[in-house]
Amino acid sequence: MKVEPLGLPGVFLITPTAHGDARGFFMESYRRDILLARGIDIEFVQDNHSLSAQKGTVRGLHYQKEPMAQTKLLRVLTGSVYDVAVDIRRDSPTFGKWVGVTLSAENRQQILIPKGFAHGFCSLEPNTQIHYKVDAYYSSAHDRGIRWNDPAIGIDWPVTEAEAVLSAKDATLPMLRSL
């Protein structure tokens, strides 16, 4: 398993090793000991699974505020996404900065997004399924978000505003400046 920093503190690209033969493949998608060896100490408590039926579905930018802030470990089961993490820690030198990576069922890569970051993704194919682990339970009282296309952040999304398929909630999220 390869663990690489993605340019923002605590955000990592994780590439599991797949062992394949004529039958298919086997891989360890999570190894606590390998993450611990890299100084990443997380106890996951909940797994989530989402389906984005349409290409161009944008989910996010979501986060939970303290004390229910979440670290996420996300991977794609079918299809592909452009996945984004945005630093929303006010005292951080990288506040408002973002990183993005393409995750797919084919490349089997994962992104680790720590607490203090907003997260979002855009499906690049129809019927894309995402599986992710979190280290704090979902709490509607702590659930928050930032507008996916906030110009102050400037994410280079693979869809235009007209093409994006959004929930009513995500379409009306506030801008970063209102945090």
Side-chain angles (χ1 to χ4, degrees), residues 128-148:
T128 293
Q129 294 188 55
I130 306 294
H131 176 266
Y132 59 102
K133 299 177 167 304
V134 293
D135 68 345
Y137 297 108
Y138 173 74
S139 170
S140 61
H142 298 87
D143 186 30
R144 299 291 185 274
I146 301 165
R147 189 84 50 89
W148 71 284

Side-chain angles (χ1 to χ4, degrees), residues 142-168:
H142 298 87
D143 186 30
R144 299 291 185 274
I146 301 165
R147 189 84 50 89
W148 71 284
N149 60 350
D150 184 338
I153 301 170
I155 297 169
D156 187 19
W157 291 103
V159 292
T160 65
E161 198 168 325
E163 296 168 328
V165 179
L166 301 165
S167 69

Side-chain angles (χ1 to χ4, degrees), residues 60-66 72 88 117-119 138-147 169-170 173-174 179:
L61 301 161
H62 301 148
Y63 66 96
Q64 285 189 178
K65 68 178 188 170
E66 292 291 353
K72 297 178 181 179
I88 58 170
F117 285 74
H119 170 251
Y138 173 74
S139 170
S140 61
H142 298 87
D143 186 30
R144 299 291 185 274
I146 301 165
R147 189 84 50 89
K169 174 186 162 188
D170 286 355
L173 288 172
L179 282 183

Side-chain angles (χ1 to χ4, degrees), residues 77-88:
L77 301 176
T78 61
S80 59
V81 298
Y82 184 66
D83 200 274
V84 174
V86 179
D87 188 346
I88 58 170

Side-chain angles (χ1 to χ4, degrees), residues 47-92:
D47 280 10
N48 301 317
H49 187 152
S50 84
L51 166 69
S52 294
Q54 297 178 48
K55 177 182 177 181
T57 298
V58 175
R59 296 181 187 264
L61 301 161
H62 301 148
Y63 66 96
Q64 285 189 178
K65 68 178 188 170
E66 292 291 353
M68 299 302 290
Q70 296 175 319
T71 295
K72 297 178 181 179
L73 177 61
L74 184 133
R75 69 186 182 112
V76 174
L77 301 176
T78 61
S80 59
V81 298
Y82 184 66
D83 200 274
V84 174
V86 179
D87 188 346
I88 58 170
R89 300 167 300 157
R90 280 268 180 215
D91 58 347
S92 170

